[in-house]
Amino acid sequence: MTVIDREPSGDSAPTLSVPVVDSPPGDQAVGWRHRHLLDVDVLSLADLELVMRTTDAMREVLARPIAKVPALRGRNVTILFYEASTRTRISFEVAAKNLSADVVNIATATSSVTKGESLVDTVKTVEALGAQLLVIRHAVSGAPALAAEVFSGSVLNGGDGWHAHPTQALLDLYTIRASLAGPDGSLAGRKVVILGDVLHSRVARSNIWTLTAAGADLWLCGPATLVRGFEAWALRGAAGRRFTVTSSVDDALRDADVVMALRIQKERMATGLLPSLREYSARYGLTRERLAMARPGALVMHPGPMNEGVEIAPDVAAGVQSRIEEQVRNGVAVRMALLYLLAGVRS
Amino acid sequence: MTVIDREPSGDSAPTLSVPVVDSPPGDQAVGWRHRHLLDVDVLSLADLELVMRTTDAMREVLARPIAKVPALRGRNVTILFYEASTRTRISFEVAAKNLSADVVNIATATSSVTKGESLVDTVKTVEALGAQLLVIRHAVSGAPALAAEVFSGSVLNGGDGWHAHPTQALLDLYTIRASLAGPDGSLAGRKVVILGDVLHSRVARSNIWTLTAAGADLWLCGPATLVRGFEAWALRGAAGRRFTVTSSVDDALRDADVVMALRIQKERMATGLLPSLREYSARYGLTRERLAMARPGALVMHPGPMNEGVEIAPDVAAGVQSRIEEQVRNGVAVRMALLYLLAGVRS
Amino acid sequence: MTVIDREPSGDSAPTLSVPVVDSPPGDQAVGWRHRHLLDVDVLSLADLELVMRTTDAMREVLARPIAKVPALRGRNVTILFYEASTRTRISFEVAAKNLSADVVNIATATSSVTKGESLVDTVKTVEALGAQLLVIRHAVSGAPALAAEVFSGSVLNGGDGWHAHPTQALLDLYTIRASLAGPDGSLAGRKVVILGDVLHSRVARSNIWTLTAAGADLWLCGPATLVRGFEAWALRGAAGRRFTVTSSVDDALRDADVVMALRIQKERMATGLLPSLREYSARYGLTRERLAMARPGALVMHPGPMNEGVEIAPDVAAGVQSRIEEQVRNGVAVRMALLYLLAGVRS
């Protein structure tokens, strides 16, 4: 008998009365087979569809007067963040609490848990402290994968280095589909532009997989120094699915259905990759004028937090085409869905 | 259908078996009509009475072996503090948890949520993350009012700049009434002195409204530099109700029923408003000798945290006349009452 | 009637269906009579046995799919830490939440609660804010005892200066007994070695009481500068029970059943007590070679966090003889047991 038993109880699971969970999580009927979620590249179309439908169910939960279900009652969700990120941390925390889980927050910038310890030691320690689902954010690409090797529960990548940010990509996909998908959920024929510092962006990398999988016509656009290496990837494709890389903001935005601006890290200027924020803003900032090149009503997105006036103009961010708050809202629902699905997998 | 529905459910509300809530919150029978609480100047005498009676009910809850009611079960109370204040933050946190709410804490000194963002963006983001009741503390006067303009739930001001600190004023009123009020709850004929740095004090400003409304004979006392501007206000009155301003500690304390000492911010000396803490203490510190000028058994109060030995002597703070711990205790009950009342208002 | 009533309700207590709690906590049948736990030196053999059996029960709770019991539902457990310690803080937090308590965390390094306040004021404030069980860690020996003098609930020492760390000693005892105890729970005939900076270690001091009480043949080993003063103690004994002090690592490890390495604080070198970490490691580090002097299968322990490569070699820490993760796991169970027992005492 082990202290940590991740099998869901027959009692609590069925109380989440949403379409996708007519059968209890934990038996394979629900169709989810991934113990961890480290990136989106391993997700099949069926997996993506399951995440989207489970997110629908969670949106329905969020619309209730009491937005809370007992699905993960008594489960320990530990949120181990090696990078400061209040917004994403809170999104996971609220998601877990909405499922009635117990949440342990560890922010290692202000923490002594990792003092002189390797990541592996820390993961073993938090497991011994009771962690069953581990959400990890780390500045080093691959850290969540390393954690998954030694953790006996489920690891959910909350963003690692430049590598991956799977929950962001899934909430972006959900947000775009809500406005633009065909009856089959496909984004075929929809032009989606990711604009900005693609090079350093785990958001862009994860979105490449999911958006091309959904059939979108994906464009990456930024200064040549900030899309470096992506042309080669575009040619071989993501699982064979092609996308386009350009430094021409006009080519990218023309007739776009979605424009997603990425945050510019001010630290990048020191590296010589960016001449100045002012020049970046002048050439690539998402202004009302540039947005006019896109389709009427094109969606405006941003993973946040924004540098308003740099990569996006305040009036665009707050305009009627903006889905930025909707992204935040969907982020809670997507994270509820993923915690729910992962909790149902027996290791 | 919206994600955030602030109407209380018919199920959970009546479980708070206290006199004031025989009818469920949310219908206007309870008599509370303010969606936000930004300051106390908008509260009618009936409003004040309702807060006092609801606080009575919450004191009764706090006296139970399990000091917890399900009134706000599943509601998200987000505590967004732009100023460090563990004591007030915990008071709100405990109050919310006693009502079974889910609490999200954001301390922006250590937070990245506001990185490069305006207050308005931050408020929209925390709403999208699920905030339904937002408690906000900010160094800039008016920040909670700005938040209320864009937040679709209820905003509770936890202290803004020099402007207002409504929950402190209400807990002070409750604490004084518990010892000194007549059968009608009035403080008529009671001399209440606020002693110290009135100029920079949001506590003093909010107390002016509530204490004069309750009929107290209110005196503000401090060095001339620290009561500046209040004489003019005293002349025109708070909603016409007069109070007295003086720099004579003898005049103020003579026959006082209540003496409330305010915290001296050490930073003030740099501004030239205060010669030295030692001189302040010698001339205005609340010592046993000075307290002897007040009525026998006069109440000693302080909003905390104290600089013992500066604005108040340790033996006075810990003496039998002190109501300082009682203020802290009542603070939890008042905040429970306000969260409960605000949760019942449909926007 | 007081606001804080620490008598457990007849409703919630019996729901913890573990052997030790067939009768509800709070009546003296359970046999626990200590209102506070400040150190282990006051614990009788019967007390130790009760803690061990209650911890067994809590391990059984932790093994359930939903590792949660309602025993402390609605109780306020305030964790007031004046020293950074994420690991111990989380252990108490998880323990309290597993018992369904409400947890308030105050880390005073980042807190303003203690600004200009004495410890006594702070304790009175947190009590007025609702604290019923107070876990306190402080760099000054005796701080929890001072807190206990003014707090009307129960104080649990989470580590104070060099003085005591009772929960660590109890989890160490539990971990050792699980592998090595005779049918009566005794460690008679078992050689237990505490290796390292004994001088500055509250872990060592508390373990002296519990391990000698359990009948172990206890050895303290470290450089002469770091065991100073312990020879005299060893001669008079802990409640008359003897132990051995040596600077010979060979003498200590020979035929040992348990080797517990202590963390070396890097700050110690500045004091001249330690020549260098490298020299310490060469002479006293727990390596595979040194461990070979102990009995085959001897247990390896460490209170954490480790300086791997200094006081313990990584392969030893991660080896099959290591009980280090088991110590962390038992720490949660022991803290659940102690919170449960203390909650049952009426003051």
Side-chain angles (χ1 to χ4, degrees):
Chain A
M1 184 186 296
T2 58
V3 169
I4 294 175
D5 183 340
R6 267 158 305 85
E7 285 182 50
S9 80
D11 290 342
S12 66
T15 57
L16 176 64
S17 58
V18 290
V20 71
V21 288
D22 291 333
S23 52
D27 78 33
Q28 302 300 319
V30 77
W32 183 260
R33 64 196 162 77
H34 301 282
R35 183 170 135 207
H36 309 292
L37 184 65
L38 304 175
D39 197 359
V40 286
D41 56 354
V42 299
L43 300 184
S44 66
L45 277 174
D47 290 332
L48 291 174
E49 199 56 39
L50 179 58
V51 173
M52 296 296 109
R53 283 191 294 119
T54 310
T55 304
D56 284 337
M58 296 305 174
R59 285 287 312 226
E60 187 272 316
V61 169
L62 289 175
R64 298 180 192 171
I66 295 182
K68 206 172 174 84
V69 288
L72 299 196
R73 192 172 69 78
R75 305 288 185 96
N76 177 312
V77 174
T78 294
I79 302 175
L80 176 63
F81 267 33
Y82 287 81
E83 288 185 346
S85 169
T86 304
R87 163 193 311 259
T88 305
R89 196 260 301 161
I90 291 175
S91 182
F92 276 111
E93 179 178 331
V94 170
K97 286 180 174 171
N98 287 347
L99 297 171
S100 303
D102 285 325
V103 178
V104 172
N105 271 305
I106 309 177
T108 58
T110 63
S111 162
S112 64
V113 80
T114 59
K115 189 165 47 181
E117 283 191 344
S118 67
L119 176 65
V120 164
D121 284 335
T122 300
V123 169
K124 287 180 177 175
T125 299
V126 301
E127 178 173 339
L129 286 167
Q132 294 168 300
L133 287 153
L134 178 63
V135 180
I136 185 166
R137 169 169 285 204
H138 202 289
V140 176
S141 298
L146 179 59
E149 284 179 24
V150 296
F151 187 64
S152 65
S154 289
V155 172
L156 182 43
N157 181 1
D160 62 327
W162 303 353
H163 170 240
H165 196 346
T167 58
Q168 181 71 42
L170 291 164
L171 76 88
D172 288 339
L173 179 62
Y174 187 85
T175 304
I176 296 171
R177 279 174 45 133
S179 292
L180 296 178
D184 60 346
S186 163
L187 297 177
R190 299 302 191 173
K191 181 176 181 181
V192 178
V193 182
I194 298 179
L195 177 67
D197 181 3
V198 172
L199 178 62
H200 303 96
S201 175
R202 54 195 175 207
V203 175
R205 279 179 181 76
S206 284
N207 263 312
I208 287 171
W209 293 101
T210 45
L211 291 174
T212 60
D217 175 26
L218 177 64
W219 289 59
L220 309 181
C221 176
T225 50
L226 297 181
V227 294
R228 209 163 45 190
F230 282 77
E231 294 92 341
W233 186 3
L235 286 177
R236 72 173 189 276
R241 302 178 303 256
R242 300 299 166 77
F243 53 94
T244 308
V245 179
T246 181
S247 287
S248 163
V249 72
D250 289 6
D251 288 353
L253 292 191
R254 187 175 307 118
D255 297 326
D257 293 285
V258 178
V259 187
M260 183 188 302
L262 299 177
R263 178 175 177 85
I264 289 291
Q265 306 285 348
K266 295 181 182 173
E267 309 84 87
R268 300 301 175 213
M269 284 186 296
T271 64
L273 294 175
L274 261 183
S276 75
L277 290 184
R278 181 189 305 222
E279 182 169 336
Y280 178 83
S281 179
R283 294 189 52 207
Y284 290 95
L286 184 57
T287 58
R288 183 177 294 274
E289 294 69 37
R290 286 218 170 88
L291 184 57
M293 292 191 285
R295 290 246 169 91
L299 309 184
V300 170
M301 299 173 68
H302 191 293
M306 296 180 279
N307 291 308
E308 288 186 310
V310 181
E311 74 266 6
I312 190 166
D315 60 341
V316 172
V320 294
Q321 292 171 252
S322 173
R323 289 299 179 279
I324 296 172
E325 284 170 49
E326 196 65 7
Q327 288 174 279
V328 177
R329 205 175 300 273
N330 288 334
V332 174
V334 157
R335 290 174 178 117
M336 289 171 72
L338 291 167
L339 290 170
Y340 179 82
L341 292 171
L342 290 173
V345 176
R346 64 190 75 195
S347 60
Chain B
M1 186 184 295
T2 58
V3 168
I4 294 177
D5 183 341
R6 265 157 307 86
E7 285 182 50
S9 80
D11 289 341
S12 66
T15 57
L16 176 66
S17 58
V18 290
V20 72
V21 288
D22 291 333
S23 53
D27 79 34
Q28 302 299 320
V30 77
W32 183 261
R33 64 198 162 75
H34 301 281
R35 184 170 136 209
H36 308 293
L37 185 64
L38 304 176
D39 197 359
V40 286
D41 57 353
V42 298
L43 300 184
S44 67
L45 277 174
D47 289 333
L48 290 175
E49 200 55 40
L50 179 57
V51 173
M52 297 296 109
R53 284 191 293 120
T54 311
T55 304
D56 284 337
M58 296 305 174
R59 285 288 310 226
E60 186 271 315
V61 169
L62 290 176
R64 298 179 191 172
I66 295 182
K68 206 174 174 83
V69 288
L72 298 197
R73 192 172 69 79
R75 303 290 185 95
N76 177 312
V77 174
T78 294
I79 302 175
L80 176 63
F81 267 33
Y82 286 81
E83 287 186 346
S85 169
T86 304
R87 162 191 313 257
T88 305
R89 195 259 301 161
I90 291 175
S91 183
F92 276 111
E93 180 179 330
V94 170
K97 286 180 174 173
N98 287 348
L99 298 170
S100 302
D102 285 325
V103 178
V104 172
N105 271 304
I106 309 178
T108 58
T110 62
S111 162
S112 63
V113 81
T114 58
K115 188 165 48 181
E117 283 191 344
S118 67
L119 176 65
V120 164
D121 285 335
T122 299
V123 169
K124 287 181 176 172
T125 299
V126 300
E127 178 173 339
L129 286 167
Q132 292 167 302
L133 287 153
L134 178 63
V135 180
I136 185 167
R137 168 169 285 205
H138 202 289
V140 176
S141 298
L146 178 59
E149 285 179 24
V150 296
F151 187 64
S152 64
S154 289
V155 172
L156 183 41
N157 181 1
D160 62 326
W162 303 352
H163 170 241
H165 196 347
T167 58
Q168 181 71 41
L170 291 164
L171 75 89
D172 287 338
L173 179 63
Y174 187 84
T175 304
I176 295 171
R177 278 175 46 134
S179 293
L180 297 178
D184 60 346
S186 164
L187 297 178
R190 299 302 191 172
K191 182 176 181 180
V192 178
V193 182
I194 299 179
L195 177 66
D197 181 2
V198 172
L199 179 61
H200 302 96
S201 176
R202 55 194 174 207
V203 174
R205 280 180 181 75
S206 284
N207 263 313
I208 286 171
W209 293 101
T210 45
L211 291 174
T212 61
D217 175 24
L218 177 64
W219 290 59
L220 308 181
C221 176
T225 49
L226 297 181
V227 295
R228 209 162 47 190
F230 281 78
E231 293 91 341
W233 187 2
L235 286 177
R236 71 175 189 274
R241 303 177 302 257
R242 300 299 165 78
F243 52 95
T244 308
V245 179
T246 181
S247 287
S248 162
V249 72
D250 289 5
D251 288 352
L253 292 192
R254 187 176 307 119
D255 297 325
D257 293 285
V258 179
V259 188
M260 184 188 303
L262 299 177
R263 179 176 176 84
I264 289 290
Q265 306 285 347
K266 295 182 183 173
E267 309 83 85
R268 299 301 176 214
M269 284 185 298
T271 65
L273 293 176
L274 261 183
S276 75
L277 290 185
R278 180 188 307 220
E279 182 169 336
Y280 178 83
S281 180
R283 295 190 51 208
Y284 289 95
L286 184 58
T287 58
R288 182 178 295 273
E289 294 69 37
R290 287 219 169 88
L291 184 57
M293 293 190 286
R295 290 248 168 91
L299 309 184
V300 170
M301 299 173 69
H302 191 294
M306 295 180 279
N307 290 307
E308 288 186 311
V310 180
E311 74 266 6
I312 190 165
D315 60 341
V316 172
V320 294
Q321 292 172 253
S322 172
R323 288 299 178 279
I324 297 173
E325 282 171 51
E326 195 65 7
Q327 288 174 279
V328 177
R329 205 175 299 274
N330 288 334
V332 174
V334 157
R335 291 174 178 116
M336 288 171 72
L338 292 167
L339 290 170
Y340 179 82
L341 291 171
L342 291 173
V345 176
R346 63 189 75 194
S347 59
Chain C
M1 185 184 298
T2 58
V3 169
I4 293 177
D5 182 341
R6 266 156 307 86
E7 285 182 50
S9 80
D11 288 341
S12 67
T15 58
L16 177 65
S17 59
V18 291
V20 71
V21 289
D22 290 333
S23 53
D27 79 33
Q28 302 299 320
V30 78
W32 183 260
R33 63 197 163 76
H34 302 281
R35 183 171 136 208
H36 308 293
L37 184 64
L38 305 176
D39 197 359
V40 286
D41 57 354
V42 298
L43 300 184
S44 66
L45 276 176
D47 289 333
L48 291 174
E49 199 56 38
L50 180 58
V51 173
M52 296 295 110
R53 283 190 294 119
T54 311
T55 305
D56 283 337
M58 296 305 175
R59 285 286 313 226
E60 187 272 316
V61 169
L62 290 175
R64 299 179 191 171
I66 295 183
K68 207 174 174 83
V69 289
L72 299 195
R73 191 172 69 79
R75 304 288 185 96
N76 177 314
V77 174
T78 294
I79 301 174
L80 176 63
F81 266 34
Y82 286 82
E83 288 185 346
S85 169
T86 305
R87 159 192 316 257
T88 305
R89 195 259 300 160
I90 291 174
S91 183
F92 276 111
E93 179 179 332
V94 170
K97 286 180 175 173
N98 287 347
L99 298 171
S100 302
D102 285 326
V103 178
V104 172
N105 271 304
I106 309 177
T108 58
T110 62
S111 163
S112 64
V113 81
T114 59
K115 189 165 48 181
E117 283 191 343
S118 67
L119 176 65
V120 164
D121 284 336
T122 300
V123 168
K124 287 180 176 173
T125 300
V126 300
E127 178 172 338
L129 286 167
Q132 293 168 301
L133 287 153
L134 179 63
V135 181
I136 186 167
R137 167 169 286 203
H138 202 290
V140 176
S141 298
L146 178 59
E149 285 179 23
V150 296
F151 186 64
S152 64
S154 290
V155 172
L156 182 42
N157 182 1
D160 62 327
W162 303 353
H163 169 240
H165 196 347
T167 58
Q168 181 71 42
L170 290 165
L171 76 88
D172 287 338
L173 178 63
Y174 187 85
T175 305
I176 295 171
R177 279 173 45 132
S179 292
L180 296 179
D184 61 345
S186 163
L187 296 178
R190 299 301 192 174
K191 181 175 181 182
V192 178
V193 183
I194 298 179
L195 177 66
D197 181 3
V198 172
L199 179 62
H200 303 95
S201 176
R202 55 194 175 207
V203 175
R205 279 179 182 75
S206 284
N207 263 312
I208 286 172
W209 293 100
T210 44
L211 291 174
T212 60
D217 175 25
L218 178 63
W219 289 59
L220 308 181
C221 176
T225 51
L226 297 181
V227 293
R228 209 162 47 191
F230 281 78
E231 293 91 342
W233 187 1
L235 286 177
R236 73 174 188 275
R241 302 179 302 257
R242 301 297 167 79
F243 52 95
T244 307
V245 179
T246 181
S247 287
S248 161
V249 71
D250 289 6
D251 288 353
L253 292 192
R254 187 176 305 118
D255 296 327
D257 293 286
V258 179
V259 188
M260 183 188 301
L262 299 176
R263 179 176 175 85
I264 289 291
Q265 306 285 347
K266 295 180 182 175
E267 310 83 85
R268 300 299 175 214
M269 284 186 298
T271 65
L273 294 176
L274 260 184
S276 76
L277 290 184
R278 181 188 306 221
E279 182 169 335
Y280 177 82
S281 179
R283 294 190 52 207
Y284 289 95
L286 184 57
T287 57
R288 183 177 295 274
E289 294 69 36
R290 287 217 171 88
L291 184 58
M293 292 190 287
R295 290 246 168 91
L299 308 184
V300 170
M301 299 173 68
H302 191 294
M306 297 180 277
N307 291 308
E308 288 186 309
V310 181
E311 74 266 6
I312 190 166
D315 59 342
V316 172
V320 294
Q321 292 171 252
S322 171
R323 289 299 178 277
I324 296 173
E325 282 170 51
E326 195 66 7
Q327 288 175 279
V328 176
R329 204 176 300 273
N330 288 334
V332 174
V334 157
R335 290 175 178 116
M336 289 171 72
L338 291 167
L339 290 170
Y340 180 82
L341 291 171
L342 291 173
V345 176
R346 63 190 74 194
S347 60

